[in-house]
Amino acid sequence: MIHLVWLVPFLPLLGFLINGLGRRYLSKSLTGVIGSGSVLAAFVISLFIFFEVRQPGFMPQVVTLFDFISVGNLHIPFAFQVDQLSALFLLIITGVGSLIHIYSTSYMHEESDEGFARYFAYLNLFVFSMLILVLGANYVMMFIGWEGVGLCSYLLIGFWFKNTSYNKAANKAFIMNRIGDLGFLLGIFLLIQQFGSVTFSDVFAQVPTLGENSGVLFAVAMLLFIGAMGKSAQVPLYTWLPDAMAGPTPVSALIHAATMVTAGIYMIARSNVIYSLAPCIQSIIAIVGLVTALLAATIALKQNDIKKVLAYSTVSQLGYMFVALGVGAYTAAVFHVMTHAFFKALLFLGSGSVIHAMGGEQDIRKMGGLKKWMPITNITFLIGCLAISGIPGLSGFFSKDEILANAFGFNKIIYAGALIGALLTAFYMFRLYYITFTGKFRGTHEQEHHLHESPAAITFPLVILAVLSVIGGYVGMPEVFGVPHFLGEYLSPIFAPSAPFLHAHHLSHELEWGLMGLSSGLVIIVIFFARSKFRQYQDNGVANTGLAKVLENKWYVDELYEAVIVKPLMVLSGFFQDTVERSGIDATVNGVGRGVKWSSRQIRLLQNGQVGFYIFAMVIGMIVLFVISLFL
Amino acid sequence: MLTVLLILLPLITGLITFGTKGASAKVLSLLSSLATLVIAVIAWLKFKTAPDALQFTVDWIPQLGTQFNVGLDGMGVMLILLTAISFPLIFITIFSRNYERSGAFYGLMLLSQAGLIGVFTAYDALLFYMFWELALIPVYFLCSMWGGERAVPVTFKFFVYTFAGSLLMLVGIIYIYSQTPGGSFSWTTFTSMQLSSTEQSWLFWLFFVAFAIKMPVFPFHTWQPDTYEQSPTPVTMVLSGIMVKMGLFAVVRWLLPVLPKGAYMWQEAAIVLSVIGIIYASCIAIMQSDIKRLIAYSSIAHIGLMSAAIFANNEQSMQGVMVQMFNHGINIIGLWMLVEVIQNRLNTKNMNEMGGIATHAPKLAIALVIVSFANIALPLTNGFIGEFLMFSGLFQYNPWFAAVAGVAVILSAVYMLRMLQKVIFGEANAQTASMRDLKAGEILAIGVVVAVIFILGFYPKPLLELVNSTSLLVNAINFK
Amino acid sequence: MPVQYYIFLSIALFCIGIMGVLMRRNAIIIFMCIELMLNAVNLLLVAFSKMWVDAGRTDAASAQLFVFFVMVVAAAEVSVGLAIIVMMYRNTHSVDINILSRLKN
């Protein structure tokens, strides 16, 4: 089955081509079937691959399709690598991907035939790119997928292209990603310079020869991490992700929550050998992750757009994953990627269901009491909130707990920060839940009249994802429960090479129980606090002041970037255009021309037409020559 | 013989076209360019099996020691293919347009093609110089007679710039000629000359300035935006798609092998100028509201990278440059085609007056998106291969240069996306709402470009193999 | 006679010629002055030729050939030049050269 792995990305590509080229001629149902079917088929193949990979003693296999770039000693094949990590990501991408495709067939049904097909074409292209990203057997392949998902994200954020602000959001996303991509690219070049190869197996085999604390390795690790910052929306390159919510909601669920934004985590997990050998970069990652987690969580406290809250929550959760990577808990990071994919996709799709019922309204202040009309959405959304908050027994609890425990072993301050972040998460998620689903309805009568539970194509994925959000965590139970950590065992071959360089901190069972109890207890208290505060929420219409206002305005980071980066760039460009170009170089060139013109006009005056003068000049000239030849 | 035929065919049909009128000029030139394409493909196939058969030498002016010496290496074949593909595409794109005095228009275009092919094949310095001028002179007439309202002063500037460069080059050629034993202009003699370091040092600048003006490299570039803006679009396509490659080609074919020490001495200076140009042009491109000027500045930025990579001169950068010469040619011609269509339909070049094309002309919009992303080197488009290799090569030379030049990766996204947003997205206005989508001929021409973008983006191997020999040749030169 | 006498005479004639060309405005006089200069040169040529022949250089006589050259050229010039002056007089009723400055603009 492994040699057929190329089918996994190929099928969505085929779907993209059919839907893209035939968008004028296909009916909506056919488009939907092709779009969802191709991803579903890829999911089935991924399942087979997964079961094959799961066999004990499986060795990573590389399937080379053709020679992509081959220059001198540098060979970059177009090759796929199948191993435990990529197989797991295949499952997440195609699995969540197919659910979201199915969901979209209903959600996007109001689009025109052409727009509908375009949407599915983009979505398929995205799945294709994402699969290339995780399947690539070298960094260039990864980069291909990396830029490809960026492109699809751009296309889908700007899907409703008539709206200029959506386009701006799309541009912002692409450009911010490109800043990261530049780091990634430079990292690749450094690898080429050092190792003459970008193939994972070659690079990872050679990395330990550089030894710990090598400057080159730090540079590689840092450059790749800059790439990850852009794609996974970490401080300071995170501001594009909340704006990316301009796209259709299923897109936010798939691209901007479940899959694409986790590419950075995938990359660092993939390069774990490099990072384990660069402990100082790891600390930077942990700090950046923590800052992101806290910053985004505080902003989420005061947002009123249902999707914005979820977006900041995504940024914050991604921060958690980076904390995990930074403290060397690669398994925990990947675990959190998986559980987060379930519950965040669930939450986004749930919010989509709400927005759908509200006729496009996204402001939670105008919602309320939706529980009554939308029971399935309500239940599944609640499960999502419980899972993300880390209520014991749900998936989020296990993954988050693993991260917290590892952070505790690494550094107490990081642990404390992460714990605060977890409490903030619980608070804003339940604020969101209570304002939206409980209390009195605060929208217009017309909206109230329209409220309804969404159709099956929407609720079916919600239910599946809700189930996964509940049970998804049991593959990675903490040691104290005495059950094997299935995910850890499964992934151990991937992280084995870096194990000797990590300084594992083993916590005693009592301590682990204690930490678990502490975090769970605090989270439950916070939830009840949020319940008391927002269950009967009334929009009092008073403008926020002080810190609340700062939070509502997202710490003014966008304004800061505008003033520090965009404005100076524009000023610089204006300076180049008006001063250097026009009055500098061009003026010099034109000045030369004008100088020639002027001097010729002066010299022309000598031609005065007086024969006598000419002869006189001739005689003078002759005398001068005479004198020169005689005396010099 | 094949090589001579490649030059003669457009030359003769070009002269014949002068005598024709109206539609027959169009048809004749299209047929001629298609025939050239067929010969070029045959030459390519022949190059794979028997490359020596493409050499052709006959005495030309024996008293001067100059020969009619033409031939093709890998890079030459690639550029001939580019030229041969571009001209039919250009003629197809403008097939529905009627130019005044069309006989002269198409005749000059074909003459220019003959000159270009001559430049890419000449192995004799005097012949090279002659073809160099032959390629340029028709362009002066095309710009000034069929150009925009400021065409004459702009063409004059273009003329003075390029002619000054050409003369510097001529001085250099004559000097080297005077140093050759027995007096010869041939490439083999020139490259086997052992000129002293001081001579090479100043000769380098004579040649470099000539080629830098043509490319153009900062600060010799100011003719370009004006000329691109004012020329009729088919001429701009020739200029930006093929003619700027003359400068790059000449550096690889003549400058590096003839003056290796000079090149080594001034390598850093040339790269610094190129890198400044990249950032500088990218920044200015952000400010443009005229779509033609925007593309002109974007082209300067791309060429800057190519020039930097040439002088970085290692295996990766050299192959990257050569691949990119072809790919940039295809992409920029694609962009100009679309601009030509847009400008023709809307009668404006101002992007602020556009918008909403995606709604009313979706095919055009899709094509523009594809070509734009190829232009900003998205992976799996042809632009990526060259840029990746060039950046990588530049990085091997000096990481900081690559890092600074890399900012252009970001800036190119900024201005291209801004262009897309202004031109095709947003709400339509009265002008764009009634816009017609691409017609059959235009779809054919754009389709070829898009196909090349994806085929070479996925599978660049044929191109890389084609230029490999030339790249090895340059890399083998002893520069110290 | 020493050759110096011829040289001084020749210089004197040449300078008279130059001054005449520079000072006078009458075309015919200017013309005559040009002839004077030519003949000054002729005189020199003959004088030097004679000098070298006396010194024993037999090939020096060929210098006198130049004199004939100059005389022939001068004759040709006279015919063209006088024709021009005649035309000039017919058109302007004057032989003042300063009147003829239309080329200036």
Side-chain angles (χ1 to χ4, degrees):
Chain A
M1 208 61 204
I2 302 282
H3 59 277
L4 285 179
V5 67
W6 58 272
L7 268 176
V8 178
F10 178 73
L11 286 169
L13 180 66
L14 199 64
F16 159 70
L17 289 176
I18 295 173
N19 279 337
L21 296 176
R23 65 191 191 287
R24 289 278 172 79
Y25 317 105
L26 297 174
S27 69
K28 270 186 198 168
S29 43
L30 199 54
T31 309
V33 168
I34 293 168
S36 320
S38 58
V39 182
L40 207 55
F43 175 64
V44 173
I45 299 173
S46 308
L47 265 181
F48 280 110
I49 290 173
F50 176 74
F51 284 116
E52 205 161 315
V53 172
R54 241 193 57 179
Q55 307 292 329
F58 173 86
M59 293 305 286
Q61 289 192 21
V62 173
V63 181
T64 307
L65 295 189
F66 56 86
D67 215 5
F68 183 51
I69 296 178
S70 180
V71 173
N73 297 322
L74 177 66
H75 296 284
I76 304 172
F78 203 92
F80 296 136
Q81 175 163 341
V82 181
D83 58 10
Q84 287 82 358
L85 190 62
S86 57
L88 181 69
F89 269 85
L90 283 191
L91 275 190
I92 298 175
I93 294 159
T94 54
V96 177
S98 9
L99 287 175
I100 288 171
H101 275 74
I102 293 167
Y103 178 95
S104 301
T105 54
S106 168
Y107 189 85
M108 297 300 284
H109 211 263
E110 279 149 36
E111 288 294 315
S112 68
D113 278 3
E114 211 228 319
F116 193 73
R118 193 161 56 89
Y119 173 82
F120 273 95
Y122 290 166
L123 218 51
N124 279 345
L125 183 63
F126 167 76
V127 174
F128 163 75
S129 310
M130 192 66 206
L131 292 170
I132 293 279
L133 195 162
V134 296
L135 275 175
N138 55 55
Y139 281 103
V140 173
M141 288 291 291
M142 194 195 262
F143 187 74
I144 292 173
W146 193 268
E147 287 265 277
V149 292
L151 168 72
C152 297
S153 158
Y154 164 79
L155 291 172
L156 282 163
I157 295 169
F159 179 73
W160 289 301
F161 55 74
K162 285 185 186 171
N163 186 323
T164 308
S165 68
Y166 291 2
N167 286 321
K168 292 225 163 107
N171 288 359
K172 185 173 174 183
F174 193 83
I175 290 161
M176 280 223 163
N177 268 304
R178 274 240 150 178
I179 298 174
D181 293 352
L182 176 60
F184 191 177
L185 260 185
L186 292 175
I188 293 177
F189 297 148
L190 193 53
L191 286 173
I192 292 177
Q193 194 184 37
Q194 288 298 317
F195 306 121
S197 171
V198 288
T199 305
F200 293 143
S201 49
D202 294 351
V203 172
F204 299 152
Q206 292 183 58
V207 161
T209 60
L210 290 174
E212 214 164 326
N213 288 322
S214 119
V216 173
L217 219 50
F218 281 7
V220 170
M222 193 60 213
L223 288 169
L224 293 183
F225 176 55
I226 291 173
M229 275 184 196
K231 191 98 331 184
S232 295
Q234 294 299 293
V235 169
L237 299 177
Y238 72 96
T239 56
W240 66 269
L241 185 58
D243 286 8
M245 298 302 130
T249 310
V251 169
S252 311
L254 179 61
I255 300 184
H256 304 118
T259 54
M260 181 184 94
V261 289
T262 60
I265 289 103
Y266 169 79
M267 184 229 262
I268 291 178
R270 176 58 85 195
S271 327
N272 59 76
V273 186
I274 297 177
Y275 284 91
S276 300
L277 282 166
C280 112
I281 304 297
Q282 273 197 309
S283 310
I284 293 178
I285 294 178
I287 293 164
V288 168
L290 185 66
V291 170
T292 311
L294 289 174
L295 187 80
T298 51
I299 296 173
L301 293 176
K302 282 286 166 198
Q303 297 303 307
N304 291 320
D305 181 321
I306 184 166
K307 286 178 74 181
K308 282 269 160 76
V309 178
L310 292 175
Y312 280 105
S313 144
T314 305
V315 176
S316 164
Q317 297 299 312
L318 290 168
Y320 270 99
M321 297 173 205
F322 277 96
V323 169
L325 294 171
V327 302
Y330 300 114
T331 313
V334 175
F335 188 20
H336 201 57
V337 166
M338 189 182 92
T339 57
H340 177 256
F342 297 148
F343 57 67
K344 192 48 71 62
L346 168 64
L347 288 167
F348 263 116
L349 294 186
S351 77
S353 175
V354 169
I355 294 166
H356 193 68
M358 292 289 295
E361 181 60 62
Q362 298 193 8
D363 191 333
I364 50 173
R365 286 170 298 190
K366 306 222 170 71
M367 299 178 186
L370 297 182
K371 190 155 78 169
K372 201 161 74 188
W373 291 280
M374 312 182 72
I376 302 177
T377 308
N378 171 45
I379 285 291
T380 51
F381 201 88
L382 181 61
I383 293 173
C385 289
L386 290 170
I388 196 175
S389 306
I391 295 296
L394 281 82
S395 62
F397 168 73
F398 296 107
S399 54
K400 202 174 260 185
D401 181 69
E402 198 173 329
I403 294 175
L404 286 175
N406 278 293
F408 188 82
F410 184 80
N411 183 321
K412 305 287 180 297
I413 298 171
I414 290 182
Y415 168 77
L419 184 62
I420 294 170
L423 302 181
L424 289 173
T425 306
F427 183 78
Y428 66 70
M429 283 316 296
F430 276 89
R431 167 178 176 266
L432 178 67
Y433 173 76
Y434 283 117
I435 293 182
T436 310
F437 286 97
T438 63
K440 269 211 287 291
F441 186 72
R442 295 178 296 274
T444 61
H445 278 291
E446 205 179 337
Q447 280 173 328
E448 190 167 0
H449 187 69
H450 268 284
L451 283 175
H452 57 277
E453 181 56 281
S454 300
I458 289 186
T459 50
F460 167 72
L462 289 181
V463 173
I464 302 265
L465 285 169
V467 172
L468 286 172
S469 300
V470 175
I471 62 166
Y474 291 94
V475 297
M477 303 245 287
E479 210 186 317
V480 289
F481 285 99
V483 186
H485 194 302
F486 296 112
L487 191 71
E489 283 170 16
Y490 167 75
L491 286 174
S492 57
I494 299 288
F495 302 125
S498 67
F501 312 111
L502 286 175
H503 315 287
H505 307 276
H506 210 77
L507 302 181
S508 69
H509 284 194
E510 293 76 31
L511 192 56
E512 210 163 318
W513 279 114
L515 291 177
M516 239 185 271
L518 176 70
S519 62
S520 310
L522 286 174
V523 160
I524 289 168
I525 293 168
V526 166
I527 290 174
F528 276 100
F529 176 61
R531 178 183 149 89
S532 67
K533 203 160 179 245
F534 296 112
R535 200 155 59 102
Q536 295 299 332
Y537 175 79
Q538 280 299 327
D539 185 17
N540 52 15
V542 178
N544 284 317
T545 50
L547 183 63
K549 192 176 171 205
V550 175
L551 292 182
E552 196 180 359
N553 287 301
K554 307 150 196 167
W555 291 101
Y556 295 102
V557 173
D558 275 324
E559 287 79 0
L560 181 75
Y561 285 178
E562 179 80 24
V564 176
I565 297 167
V566 180
K567 279 262 171 61
L569 179 66
M570 286 298 156
V571 171
L572 182 71
S573 302
F575 171 74
F576 278 162
Q577 175 176 300
D578 298 331
T579 313
V580 182
E581 183 86 346
R582 218 166 280 159
S583 359
I585 300 171
D586 222 17
T588 314
V589 173
N590 291 337
V592 170
R594 226 170 283 136
V596 169
K597 237 178 176 177
W598 180 84
S599 48
S600 48
R601 199 175 301 131
Q602 301 307 310
I603 292 169
R604 201 188 58 155
L605 295 179
L606 287 176
Q607 306 277 330
N608 60 2
Q610 302 287 339
V611 179
F613 176 75
Y614 295 161
I615 296 169
F616 180 70
M618 192 177 89
V619 169
I620 295 290
M622 267 159 52
I623 290 171
V624 168
L625 285 178
F626 197 62
V627 169
I628 287 173
S629 65
L630 267 188
F631 300 106
L632 298 175
Chain B
M1 230 27 240
L2 214 53
T3 322
V4 182
L5 194 61
L6 269 172
I7 303 171
L8 283 184
L9 184 73
L11 191 66
I12 293 169
T13 46
L15 292 174
I16 296 172
T17 312
F18 269 107
T20 57
K21 275 186 191 142
S24 58
K26 279 187 212 174
V27 176
L28 186 63
S29 52
L30 182 59
L31 288 178
S32 156
S33 64
L34 286 172
T36 314
L37 177 58
V38 172
I39 302 173
V41 171
I42 295 171
W44 177 34
L45 297 176
K46 200 142 195 183
F47 178 76
K48 285 185 172 171
T49 52
D52 292 337
L54 295 169
Q55 302 294 331
F56 178 85
T57 311
V58 67
D59 269 355
W60 183 30
I61 313 175
Q63 291 86 344
L64 275 176
T66 176
Q67 291 176 312
F68 191 85
N69 183 350
V70 290
L72 284 169
D73 63 347
M75 176 176 58
V77 172
M78 185 190 74
L79 288 167
I80 296 293
L81 277 175
L82 174 66
T83 316
I85 293 171
S86 308
F87 271 84
L89 288 182
I90 294 169
F91 289 143
I92 291 171
T93 319
I94 57 169
F95 201 74
S96 59
R97 291 197 59 171
N98 291 310
Y99 288 95
E100 282 174 50
R101 286 163 294 168
S102 69
F105 182 85
Y106 286 95
L108 285 168
M109 291 285 278
L110 286 175
L111 283 189
S112 176
Q113 187 187 16
L116 283 166
I117 295 177
V119 167
F120 297 143
T121 52
Y123 268 94
D124 181 282
L126 199 64
L127 194 64
F128 170 77
Y129 178 78
M130 198 191 74
F131 280 127
W132 179 279
E133 293 300 338
L134 178 64
L136 284 172
I137 290 166
V139 174
Y140 303 141
F141 289 108
L142 286 166
C143 289
S144 56
M145 291 164 76
W146 286 272
E149 63 274 16
R150 290 196 298 120
V152 173
V154 163
T155 311
F156 190 68
K157 186 166 159 185
F158 170 49
F159 175 80
V160 170
Y161 250 115
T162 46
F163 207 72
S166 302
L167 288 180
L168 289 179
M169 173 169 77
L170 187 63
V171 172
I173 289 176
I174 291 172
Y175 181 80
I176 299 177
Y177 165 75
S178 70
Q179 300 295 311
T180 51
S184 163
F185 280 107
S186 84
W187 184 78
T188 15
T189 322
F190 268 44
T191 47
S192 57
M193 289 287 295
Q194 296 288 330
L195 295 165
S196 72
S197 304
T198 6
E199 283 173 312
Q200 296 209 8
S201 166
W202 58 266
L203 277 171
F204 173 84
W205 284 99
L206 292 184
F207 284 92
F208 177 71
V209 170
F211 302 149
I213 287 175
K214 201 76 232 48
M215 282 188 232
V217 170
F218 176 89
F220 308 107
H221 65 277
T222 54
W223 61 270
Q224 202 211 35
D226 287 338
T227 312
Y228 283 13
E229 185 197 341
Q230 290 297 320
S231 301
T233 314
V235 179
T236 313
M237 290 185 204
V238 175
L239 267 174
S240 63
I242 315 166
M243 215 159 271
V244 298
K245 310 297 179 303
M246 280 186 355
L248 296 161
F249 166 87
V251 172
V252 178
R253 168 66 61 77
W254 295 96
L255 183 55
L256 296 181
V258 175
L259 304 169
K261 285 182 201 156
Y264 180 73
M265 233 178 284
W266 295 109
Q267 181 180 31
E268 195 118 342
I271 295 178
V272 167
L273 279 184
S274 310
V275 170
I276 293 174
I278 298 172
I279 303 300
Y280 176 80
S282 302
C283 282
I284 294 185
I286 298 174
M287 302 292 289
Q288 300 305 314
S289 58
D290 181 311
I291 188 167
K292 289 182 100 174
R293 288 187 83 85
L294 184 142
I295 297 175
Y297 279 109
S298 118
S299 179
I300 296 176
H302 283 102
I303 297 287
L305 177 58
M306 286 151 90
S307 143
I310 282 190
F311 286 101
N313 193 14
N314 51 41
E315 207 165 30
Q316 287 167 28
S317 71
M318 202 45 88
Q319 291 234 346
V321 170
M322 292 191 210
V323 171
Q324 185 69 354
M325 278 192 218
F326 187 87
N327 289 332
H328 177 260
I330 293 290
N331 293 348
I332 200 97
I333 285 175
L335 265 180
W336 286 122
M337 275 178 192
L338 294 163
V339 169
E340 159 79 6
V341 173
I342 293 171
Q343 192 190 348
N344 209 358
R345 309 256 157 97
L346 302 179
N347 284 321
T348 178
K349 295 177 295 179
N350 188 342
M351 293 193 288
N352 295 326
E353 293 169 19
M354 301 178 192
I357 291 179
T359 323
H360 299 282
K363 285 180 200 138
L364 176 65
I366 291 168
L368 191 60
V369 169
I370 292 174
V371 179
S372 302
F373 276 99
N375 200 38
I376 60 178
L378 202 78
L380 297 189
T381 64
N382 59 356
F384 173 68
I385 314 295
E387 288 217 352
F388 179 80
L389 287 173
M390 286 192 292
F391 271 124
S392 179
L394 196 56
F395 190 91
Q396 320 301 327
Y397 175 74
N398 182 336
W400 295 107
F401 284 158
V404 174
V407 175
V409 169
I410 302 163
L411 293 177
S412 70
V414 174
Y415 59 73
M416 286 316 270
L417 295 188
R418 188 171 154 274
M419 179 195 88
L420 285 182
Q421 183 205 328
K422 290 206 165 199
V423 175
I424 62 173
F425 297 136
E427 289 284 355
N429 57 29
Q431 274 276 314
T432 52
S434 58
M435 187 164 170
R436 277 197 57 194
D437 208 345
L438 295 176
K439 284 179 272 190
E442 293 158 350
I443 290 179
L444 177 68
I446 296 284
V448 172
V449 170
V450 170
V452 172
I453 285 176
F454 285 124
I455 291 170
L456 290 181
F458 255 102
Y459 195 64
K461 208 173 171 188
L463 207 54
L464 284 168
E465 278 173 358
L466 183 61
V467 296
N468 194 27
S469 57
T470 313
S471 155
L472 288 178
L473 200 73
V474 176
N475 290 139
I477 298 168
N478 177 20
F479 281 90
K480 288 176 190 162
Chain C
M1 257 201 310
V3 77
Q4 280 87 344
Y5 294 180
Y6 296 102
I7 293 175
F8 288 133
L9 176 62
S10 169
I11 287 174
L13 285 175
F14 195 82
C15 289
I16 293 169
I18 283 183
M19 294 322 278
V21 167
L22 288 183
M23 302 287 192
R24 304 303 295 260
R25 295 192 308 190
N26 187 321
I28 294 182
I29 292 185
I30 288 176
F31 207 74
M32 283 159 65
C33 289
I34 291 173
E35 290 299 313
L36 203 57
M37 285 193 281
L38 285 172
N39 284 320
V41 175
N42 281 348
L43 181 62
L44 264 189
L45 281 168
V46 174
F48 280 123
S49 169
K50 182 76 175 61
M51 183 188 88
W52 285 114
V53 170
D54 289 349
R57 293 266 303 266
T58 48
D59 58 342
S62 58
Q64 296 186 15
L65 268 177
F66 276 103
V67 177
F68 290 105
F69 249 119
V70 173
M71 280 160 70
V72 171
V73 170
E77 189 201 323
V78 166
S79 57
V80 177
L82 277 179
I84 291 173
I85 293 171
V86 169
M87 287 305 292
M88 177 181 158
Y89 184 75
R90 275 196 198 157
N91 284 320
T92 62
H93 296 285
S94 158
V95 286
D96 185 343
I97 53 163
N98 284 351
I99 291 176
L100 291 182
S101 58
R102 264 192 290 172
L103 266 178
K104 186 178 172 184
N105 300 314

